[in-house]
Amino acid sequence: MYLAKIFVTHKKSILDPQGEAIKNALHRLDYETVENVSQGKYFETTLNCDSEDKAKQITDSICDSLLANPNMETYRFEIEKVGD
């Protein structure tokens, strides 16, 4: 079994209005040193696969087909073996 930790964020070229709103709120709370905030999504999936390579293939396919909008978002993931 493998655990996939998936991080989805806006592409650098895409405006992140929620990140900007968070940054502005932090500035109002006197956290003036904060220069940038990026908001994103985090997912965990458990995969019953025979190999790490297969878990990577499936995770990549899941991200491409459902979890990330390829026009606006990018993703990365980490795979770790869990259980026996």
Side-chain angles (χ1 to χ4, degrees), residues 61-72:
S61 179
I62 289 169
C63 292
D64 278 339
S65 62
L66 180 66
L67 299 183
N69 177 342
N71 295 320
M72 299 174 52

Side-chain angles (χ1 to χ4, degrees), residues 4-24:
K5 298 178 180 180
I6 304 164
F7 305 86
V8 179
T9 57
H10 285 93
K11 289 183 176 180
K12 298 284 185 201
S13 60
I14 301 295
L15 178 64
D16 182 357
Q18 190 169 4
E20 278 297 308
I22 293 167
K23 182 183 83 171
N24 291 336

Side-chain angles (χ1 to χ4, degrees), residues 9-42:
T9 57
H10 285 93
K11 289 183 176 180
K12 298 284 185 201
S13 60
I14 301 295
L15 178 64
D16 182 357
Q18 190 169 4
E20 278 297 308
I22 293 167
K23 182 183 83 171
N24 291 336
L26 289 170
H27 285 181
R28 286 191 302 277
L29 294 171
D30 292 326
Y31 295 105
E32 292 294 328
T33 57
V34 175
E35 292 187 17
N36 189 31
V37 176
S38 296
Q39 177 268 333
K41 299 179 276 189
Y42 174 74

